[in-house]
Amino acid sequence: MTYDAGHYDVIVIGGGHAGCEAAFAAARRGAKTLMLTLNLDMLAFMPCNPSIGGPAKGVVVREIDALGGLMGKVIDKTYIQMRMLNTGKGPAVRALRAQADKPLYIQEMKSILENEKKLTLRQAMVEKLIVENGECKGVITETKAAYYAESVIITTGTFMRGRVIIGDLSYESGPNNQRASVKLSEHLEELGFDLVRFKTGTPPRVNSHTVDYSKTEIQPGDDDPKHFSYETKDAILDQIPCWLTYTNEFTHKVIDENLALSAMYSGMIKGTGPRYCPSIEDKVVRFNDKPRHQIFLEPEGRNTEEIYVQGLSTSMPEFVQREMLRTIPGLENSEIMRAGYAIEYDSVVPTQLWPTLEVKNIPGLFTAGQINGTSGYEEAAGQGLMAGINAASKALNKESFILNRSQAYIGVLIDDLVTKGTNEPYRLLTSRAEYRLLLRHDNADIRLTEIGYNLGMIGEERYRSFLEKNRLVGEEKLRLTDVMLKPTDEVQKIIEEAGGTALKEAVRAVDLLKRPEMKYEMIEKLTPATLDLTWDVKEQVEIQIKYQGYIDKSNQQVERMQKMENKVIPDNIDYDDIGGIATEAKQKLKKVRPLSVGQASRISGVNPSDVSILLVYIEQGKIARVSNEY
C-alpha cells in the first residue's frame, strides 16, 4: 500500500553527474524539485577515471558552465591537477583536462545541492513510475512512498540491472559495490521501453606507497593553470603530478596466456562495450603489433593513497590482474586496493526520445546520462542539464529548449543520440562535430551565456561581466584595425624572431596578427593596448582575427543547413502516404519521428533522394494544403 509522500514540479531519479545537473537546473529554472538517489554520500561519484575534460569533453564542461550548470565550478574547486591539451594545435581541438580529488568533488557537489532553495534531496530506491492516461505523474519507492510531479527525469547511469564481472565471478551490483536498480528496469520493459545491454569497465586501483615512481615518467600540471568555469578567479597552484609507464611483452604474455579467463572472451559478458575505451586484453588482441601500451598512474585525491591505473581496464580474475601489474615498470611490487571489474547494465535506446530528452510515448518522462547509451561524466552532465531545463519548462508551462549542432557539442551529442541512436556506449569526439571550428573551448561563453541568462540560469553580475568582456574584445579588434605598423627595426626584429617575412611597407596591426607565426603578445609589444585587458580577452581577440576567414565559411555552412532545420515536419505526416521514399527510410522516419527536414537528413538509412522527396511532399503536397487550412 503506497502513501502520498509529497508533490513537486520535477522529480529526478539518480544522483550521478546527470542527476546532479538535472536537479540543479530544474530548481534554478524555478521548479520545486526532488532528487531521489540510492546513496546521498555518493552524489556525482566517479566510478571510473578520476578526471574531468579532455578533447570535446572539456568543451562540454565549458558549455555546461556557460549555461549556468555545476560541473565546471565544482572541478575548479577540487582538482589536483589541470592541463590544457593540444596547445600546439589550433583552437578547435584545445581542451582542458583536470584530475579530480574524488572525495572532495562529492563533498563540494553535495554542499551546493543541499543549499539550493527549491531542491530537496532524499535517499531512496525508486521501483516504479506513476503513469496515468499515458503520462508520467510521479514515482513509487521501495518503501511505498508515492511522490507526484508534472515531470520525472530518470538518470540511473549504469545501475539498471547492473552486474559486476571479475573473471568467472559475477554478481548483481551497481558501480563500486552499490545496490543495483532491478525493479525499475523491469518496470520500464513493462511500459514498452526498448532496452539494450551495454558494458563498461575499470582498472585496478593500487596503493601509492607500493609504486616505484623512479621507473615512471612524471606528468605535471600546467604552471599557469586555466579553469573550466567563467566564474573561477583563483587557480589551485599546489598540484599533484600523474605518472606515465608502459605495458611490455611480459604483460602481453600474461594476458595471452590467461585470455580464456577474461569475462570478455569467455562469453560471460553479453553487453556491448565502448569502442574508444577498450579493456587491456582487448587492446592486446586487437593491436597485437604494438609492443607496448600507455599506462597513466592517476592519484584519486589529496587525502588517499589510491592510484587509478588508467589504461589497464580489465575483467580478468584478480590473480591475473596482480600478475599483469607486476610486469609493468614501477608496479612490480604494487598492491591492489580495489580490483578492476567490468559492469553490464541496461540502457534505453535513445531514438525513443525527443530532442528535449522527453520520452516520445510517455509525456512528462525524461531520461538523461548513461541510461541513454553514453559513456563519460561530461556527456551525462550535459544531458542532465538539458533534461533539467526542459522538465522544469514542461512543469511550469514554459518554452522547451533545444541546442542545435552549430551551437554546442551538447547539441551534437543529443542530436546524434535521438536521431541516429547508438550501438555502443557513445563518446563525444571532435570529429563528430561538423562545425567544430565554431564550437571551441575559448568561446563557449560567447555562444551560450546569453541563452543561460534568458533561461534564468545565469545571474546579473555574471551576465554584466560577460557583456563587458565582449565589449573589450570588440574595441581591441577595432583598435588593431586602425593602428598602422611601419617597417621599423623594432617591428622587423619581432617578425624575424617569430620566423616571419620582413615588412616591405606599413601594414595594419590586424593584418600582421593574421600571419600564422604572429601572436597577440608580439603585436602588444609594438602597440600596447590602451585598456588593461585580461588574458582571456587577448586570447579571444587573437583567435577571432586569425581565424576570421575560416569562421565565416563555417557560419555560411550553418546558414545553409539552418534552412533545412527551419523546415518543420508536421505532426500529422503519414510517411506511408509518400510515394518514392525507400521502405527502409520510411521505417526509420516513423521510428525517429524527426521534427525537421534537417534532422530527417541525418537519420541513418535516409538517403538524399528520400530527403528531396520529403521536401517536395511537405512544400507542395497534401501536408502543405492541410496546414494552410488552419
Side-chain angles (χ1 to χ4, degrees), residues 483-488 491 503-509 511:
V483 170
M484 297 297 294
L485 294 174
K486 297 178 181 179
T488 62
V491 170
L503 293 181
K504 294 181 180 179
E505 58 186 11
V507 297
R508 294 183 305 164
D511 291 325

Side-chain angles (χ1 to χ4, degrees), residues 306-352:
E306 286 194 68
I307 298 294
Y308 185 89
V309 188
Q310 173 75 276
L312 207 71
S313 177
T314 184
S315 60
M316 285 286 196
E318 190 173 305
F319 78 90
V320 179
Q321 294 183 37
R322 187 168 179 267
E323 286 184 41
M324 283 194 295
L325 284 167
R326 297 196 168 183
T327 65
I328 298 172
L331 300 178
E332 294 91 343
N333 298 305
S334 61
E335 292 293 341
I336 295 176
M337 295 182 71
R338 303 185 200 222
Y341 62 88
I343 183 169
E344 283 190 327
Y345 55 94
D346 284 346
S347 287
V348 167
V349 174
T351 51
Q352 297 169 102

